[in-house]
Structure formats: structure tokens, C-alpha cells
């Protein structure tokens, strides 16, 4: 896979081993603007990679360095997600500028990129996450239109469980405990529930805990969730 080197000065040294991949959308009006911002020293933001709408992959920060893409975030006990993750920005205007489906060219380029990173660093499927998963009170990206199923079919991300589902009948407190066990920061319950829905039940993001949400979460906590892979 051809990768275009477009270095960013916005990085520092890692303090944790790499154990995560975080997917973002750029949330800007176009790709050139996003790339310029990720390389602007004054912006103090960056990512390891950026995937353009035509499938071009740009490398901004070396994987052994800490890029500045996650901000204040939390996943499975890690609070310095930047130090433990590879960040990939995918060009898309996002909810603010006209959110739209990601292009086939982008996903066709993203799949081998994620596969290579995941193999290099022995990253588990459960640690391939969206920005909204690690920062539910602040972020919605890559959003409900991101085709997680494409990654799940190749075992590059967790599938949405669809088979052998059972309702554990958790109370709200029980559901939130399970959600925290899975990896989310549940300090803001509504935000955490909506982030979970955005990732695993994107057709209905209402912040309400229903039987379907309980069944999906229970299946995800089992050793081998069965779904659209």
C-alpha cells in the first residue's frame, strides 16, 4: 500500500505501549484544510495517518511517536489514549459541515491500513474504536455512517452481535456497570449510552436503555460475540 509522507511537527514521545487504534473523521470542510490543520504547529493536533476521500493515505507522525488526536479520553482504564494508540483521521465534513457516507475508496484504503497496524502491534478487535467511544461527552466521530461491518467481516473490529442474543434484564445501574466493564467512561450515563448505540446500534441513538441494547452489550462481553462478521 502506497503511503504519502506529509510530516506533522505535532508529536512527542510515547509513555505507553501501543494497544489501540482510534478512528476519527476530520470534521472540516475539505481534505486540504484538514491536512493543513494537522500539520500546523499552532493547532497542536495531529494523527498518525489521514485517509483522503480518493483513498490516498498520508502519514503525518511515525507510529513510535505520540500523536495528538484523542484529547481528554478514556478506554478500558487508559486515560492517556494518545500514548497508547495509533490515530487515523478519515476525511469527512462531519456533523457540522454536512455529514455524509464515507467513500468506497476511503474504506478500501483504510482496511489494509488498519490490518497492518493491528498485526504490527497485536491490537485486539475490542481496542479498534471510534473517537466517540473514548470521548463520549465530546465527540461523535466517526459517526453512525461509518461502516464498521466492513472491518468486522475481516476481524479488524468487533461485530455487532446478532445471533444467540439473550436479554439479561439489567437495571440501568447494571447496564452502566456492564458498559464500564466493556470499556466506556460512564461518568455521564446518557453520553456513554449514546456512544455505545452510535457504535453498535446506529439506526437508533436515543440514549435509552432497551432490551436490544442490553442483549448487544451482554453478547459483547462474552468471549466470542457472533454477528455480522
Amino acid at each position: 500500500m502506497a503511503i504519502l509522507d506529509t510530516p506533522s511537527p505535532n508529536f512527542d514521545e510515547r509513555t505507553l505501549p501501543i494497544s489501540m487504534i482510534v478512528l476519527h473523521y476530520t470534521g472540516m470542510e475539505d481534505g486540504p484544510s484538514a491536512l493543513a490543520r494537522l500539520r500546523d504547529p499552532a493547532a497542536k493536533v495531529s494523527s498518525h495517518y489521514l485517509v483522503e476521500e480518493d483513498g490516498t493515505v498520508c502519514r503525518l507522525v511515525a507510529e513510535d511517536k505520540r500523536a495528538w488526536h484523542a484529547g481528554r479520553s478514556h478506554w478500558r482504564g487508559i486515560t492517556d489514549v494518545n500514548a497508547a494508540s495509533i490515530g487515523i483521521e478519515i476525511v469527512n465534513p462531519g456533523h457540522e459541515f454536512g455529514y455524509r457516507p464515507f467513500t468506497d475508496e476511503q474504506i478500501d484504503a483504510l482496511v489494509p491500513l488498519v490490518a497492518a497496524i493491528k498485526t504490527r502491534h497485536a491490537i485486539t478487535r475490542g481496542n479498534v474504536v471510534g473517537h466517540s467511544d473514548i470521548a463520549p461527552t465530546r465527540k461523535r466521530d466517526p459517526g453512525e455512517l461509518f461502516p464498521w461491518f466492513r472491518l468486522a467481516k475481516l476481524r479488524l473490529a468487533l461485530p455487532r452481535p446478532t445471533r444467540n442474543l439473550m436479554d439479561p434484564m439489567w437495571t440501568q445501574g447494571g447496564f452502566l456497570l456492564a458498559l464500564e466493564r466493556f470499556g466506556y467512561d460512564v461518568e455521564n450515563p446518557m453520553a456513554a449510552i449514546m456512544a455505545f448505540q452510535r457504535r453498535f446500534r446506529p439506526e437508533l441513538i436515543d440514549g435509552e436503555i432497551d432490551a436490544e441494547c442490553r442483549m448487544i452489550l451482554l453478547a459483547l462481553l462474552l468471549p466470542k460475540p457472533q454477528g455480522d462478521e
Side-chain angles (χ1 to χ4, degrees), residues 13-164:
E13 297 300 318
R14 287 193 181 276
T15 56
L16 292 172
I18 296 167
S19 61
M20 301 172 57
I21 297 172
V22 181
L23 303 181
H24 307 253
Y25 64 42
T26 52
M28 297 185 68
E29 292 178 322
D30 55 50
S33 299
L35 184 60
R37 178 171 172 77
L38 292 167
R39 301 177 70 197
D40 179 0
K44 297 184 178 180
V45 294
S46 62
S47 61
H48 294 90
Y49 298 96
L50 177 137
V51 182
E52 298 273 11
E53 289 190 292
D54 66 359
T56 300
V57 177
C58 300
R59 177 168 41 224
L60 290 84
V61 175
E63 290 183 13
D64 64 343
K65 302 300 182 183
R66 177 181 179 271
W68 306 338
H69 59 95
R72 182 171 50 83
S73 51
H74 169 104
W75 185 252
R76 295 185 170 176
I78 295 174
T79 54
D80 186 352
V81 172
N82 280 335
S85 66
I86 300 291
I88 303 175
E89 291 275 0
I90 309 165
V91 173
N92 187 293
H95 293 85
E96 186 175 353
F97 294 108
Y99 189 42
R100 58 180 179 244
F102 297 84
T103 69
D104 289 339
E105 291 85 356
Q106 282 180 311
I107 306 306
D108 289 344
L110 180 68
V111 162
L113 178 63
V114 169
I117 295 167
K118 186 175 182 294
T119 298
R120 263 196 300 278
H121 302 288
I123 296 170
T124 64
R125 292 187 297 165
N127 277 352
V128 179
V129 297
H131 200 183
S132 59
D133 295 315
I134 64 170
T137 62
R138 300 187 300 109
K139 297 296 181 178
R140 291 186 284 172
D141 58 308
E144 58 275 9
L145 298 180
F146 183 77
W148 285 104
F149 67 92
R150 290 271 312 264
L151 276 65
K153 285 181 178 179
L154 297 169
R155 299 187 65 79
L156 300 177
L158 286 173
R160 171 180 178 164
T162 57
R163 288 177 280 164
N164 303 322

